Structures are given as structure tokens and as C-alpha cells.
């Protein structure tokens, strides 16, 4: 059974995307008293708040200039609590990055599976989700697409693995009309790399909230090598903002982007 005809399964509630909320969100304050939380629940809450604080500090100051002290202050968490959870800033960055990418990937997978009836519809739905979720949390977009380059070789390897994983969205694209002798794997890698470079450039310019405007051009770039120009043009004509609210990151403020502070 191919990807597009997979049976739909109920999806679990989405975890929050790092950076979607202030780390000092009052709703996550740890209350003291006789009904205090368990140690495991306290650690989970602190970890969640540190993810938000780290993403926002890194997005605002850059990876190199975001200190552990700043991250802890933004999260309302003490340094001892930080070091009980992470070995250092790089370890915390990688944990926040992996968590956020897992949330984003699950949203894209759901959009891909539920769209239809053609691969072009599914690919466009996954792209739309990618752009709208990143636009809803610009701080995470900057951390994950721009500052990841400064976070060390392990972070860059995570980024490269992520780009490789996006190849799965092209499994149902078919052989395409490419001329004989064109390596299909290289073609998919080129398309994925081009989409990444275009999105990253817009985020690096501080224009993450404009990402959904890229849907037509990215739809065409993703589909033309496999469907040909005529079918890609038809797919692109449908790549317009849909009626009603778009896809936003879990816990992002309703009606507005979670901006970089």
C-alpha cells in the first residue's frame, strides 16, 4: 500500500513547538503546597519552559551570544535545574531542535496523508503546513534554519538528516519526465535542497511571517521535475491560501505569530 492510500489513523494531541510560548508562561508556574507536582512532572515542565526560553534567546541573540544564564532567566528556571536536565547549551539546543522537528514532521505527515487525491495535492499540503507552521513561530524558524549552522557539527548533522528524511514526500511522485540518464535520487535531493535554501533565506532576512507566500513557487519547483510543466502549473494554481485559518504550531498564540521577542 503506497503512502497516499494509507488508512487514516487517529492522531495524538500535538506536543508544543519550542518557542511558541514565553518560557515564563504563568500557566506553567510550578505551584508549591501540599498538592505539589511529582519530581518527574516538575522536570518535564522545566524542560518544556527551557525549550521555549532557549529558542527565543537563540533567535534574538544568536547561538553564540545566548548564555545559559539568559536561557534560564527567560525560562524562569534555575541554573542547577538546567544542568540537571542538560549537560550544556549545545545539549539543550539539540534537544529543543529534535523535539521541534518531530512536532513539525508529524504535522507535515498528517497533512500529506490526509490530502488528495493526487501526489501533487499531498505534496502541496505538506509544503503549506511547513510554511504556515514556521510562519506561526518565527523564533523556532530562525533557531532551526539559521542558528543551527552555528550550533556545532552535531546540530549540522541533525539538519542534514532532516533534509534527507524529507525525501519520503517524493516516494509517490513517480519517475517523472526527466531526460534519460538523470539520477532520480540526485534530482530529489536537488529539489529538497532548493526548497530548504529558499525558506532559509526568507527566515534569515527576518521575513518568516511571509513564508506562506512562497507556496506557489515551491509547489511548482517540487512538482515540475516529476509531473512536467503543464501538470505542475495546474498544481500551482491551487497553491493559494485556503479559506479559514491555516495550520499553526501547537500552542502558538491564536491569530498572531509567536514573534521573536
Amino acid at each position: 500500500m503506497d503512502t497516499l492510500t494509507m488508512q487514516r489513523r487517529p492522531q495524538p494531541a500535538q506536543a508544543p513547538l519550542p518557542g511558541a510560548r514565553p518560557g515564563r508562561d504563568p500557566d506553567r508556574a510550578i505551584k508549591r503546597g501540599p498538592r505539589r507536582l511529582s519530581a518527574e512532572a516538575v522536570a518535564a515542565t522545566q524542560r518544556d519552559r527551557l525549550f521555549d526560553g532557549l529558542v527565543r534567546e537563540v533567535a534574538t541573540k544568536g547561538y553564540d551570544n545566548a548564555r545559559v544564564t539568559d536561557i534560564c532567566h527567560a525560562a524562569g528556571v534555575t541554573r542547577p535545574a538546567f544542568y540537571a536536565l542538560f549537560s550544556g547549551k549545545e545539549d539543550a539546543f539539540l534537544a529543543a531542535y529534535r523535539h521541534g522537528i518531530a512536532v513539525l514532521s508529524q504535522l507535515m505527515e498528517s497533512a500529506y496523508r490526509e490530502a488528495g487525491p493526487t501526489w501533487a495535492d499531498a505534496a502541496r499540503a505538506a509544503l503549506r503546513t511547513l510554511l504556515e507552521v514556521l510562519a506561526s513561530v518565527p523564533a523556532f524558524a530562525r533557531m532551526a534554519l539559521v542558528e543551527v549552522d552555528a550550533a556545532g557539527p552535531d546540530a549540522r548533522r541533525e539538519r542534514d538528516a532532516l533534509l534527507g528524511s524529507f525525501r519520503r514526500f517524493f516516494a509517490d511522485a513517480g519517475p517523472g519526465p526527466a531526460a534519460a540518464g538523470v539520477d532520480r535520487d540526485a534530482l530529489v535531493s536537488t529539489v529538497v535542497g532548493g526548497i530548504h535554501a529558499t525558506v532559509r533565506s526568507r527566515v534569515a532576512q527576518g521575513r518568516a511571517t511571509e513564508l506562506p507566500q512562497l507556496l506557489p513557487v515551491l509547489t511548482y519547483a517540487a512538482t515540475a521535475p516529476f509531473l512536467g510543466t503543464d501538470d505542475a502549473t495546474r498544481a500551482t494554481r491551487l497553491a493559494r491560501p485556503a479559506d479559514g485559518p491555516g495550520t499553526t504550531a501547537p500552542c502558538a498564540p491564536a491569530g498572531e505569530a509567536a514573534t521573536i521577542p
Side-chain angles (χ1 to χ4, degrees):
M1 182 178 295
D2 64 28
T3 307
L4 295 182
T5 57
M6 288 173 57
Q7 183 178 3
R8 296 183 187 180
R9 298 182 178 89
Q11 295 299 310
Q14 285 287 343
L17 191 72
R21 297 176 289 179
R24 289 177 172 268
D25 180 2
D27 291 340
R28 290 181 289 169
I30 298 174
K31 298 177 176 60
R32 303 182 183 280
R35 299 182 65 182
R36 69 185 65 181
L37 296 173
S38 66
E40 293 79 7
V42 169
T45 299
Q46 290 175 329
R47 183 183 182 90
D48 192 37
R49 287 162 56 180
L50 284 165
F51 282 168
D52 289 320
L54 181 145
V55 167
R56 290 181 171 223
E57 286 296 305
V58 167
T60 302
K61 299 175 180 177
Y63 177 81
D64 291 334
N65 295 323
R67 303 176 303 168
V68 169
T69 298
D70 300 327
I71 295 167
C72 290
H73 178 75
V77 174
T78 65
R79 283 175 63 92
F82 175 92
Y83 283 107
L85 293 167
F86 308 110
S87 61
K89 182 173 71 171
E90 182 179 353
D91 184 35
F93 182 99
L94 286 170
Y97 179 86
R98 289 167 181 152
H99 175 71
I101 291 303
V103 172
L104 176 60
S105 294
Q106 186 175 347
L107 289 168
M108 291 177 66
E109 286 276 7
S110 295
Y112 185 86
R113 284 197 305 268
E114 294 170 8
T118 68
W119 171 75
D121 295 324
R124 184 177 60 250
L127 282 170
R128 181 174 187 252
T129 298
L130 170 70
L131 298 173
E132 290 181 344
V133 168
L134 291 177
S136 73
V137 189
F140 180 78
R142 185 167 189 88
M143 173 261 198
L145 274 75
V146 179
E147 295 302 327
V148 66
D149 293 333
D154 287 343
R156 291 190 289 274
R157 279 192 287 270
E158 291 278 344
R159 186 266 322 279
D160 292 344
L162 170 66
L163 294 180
S165 75
F166 283 162
R167 295 168 57 86
R168 68 190 186 278
F169 294 114
F170 294 85
D172 301 304
V182 172
D183 184 280
R184 189 181 188 281
D185 287 342
L187 178 61
V188 172
S189 295
T190 300
V191 171
V192 170
I195 291 171
H196 171 262
T198 302
V199 174
R200 184 192 183 283
S201 175
R202 191 64 59 96
V203 173
Q205 295 168 14
R207 301 166 62 193
T209 58
E210 301 174 14
L211 287 176
Q213 298 174 13
L214 294 174
L215 183 58
V217 68
L218 295 186
T219 297
Y220 188 87
T223 58
F226 305 97
L227 304 180
T229 57
D230 290 343
D231 286 344
T233 298
R234 281 191 286 273
T236 302
R237 290 196 188 106
L238 299 174
R240 298 289 184 267
D243 294 335
T247 305
T248 58
C251 296
E256 60 178 318
T259 54
I260 298 173

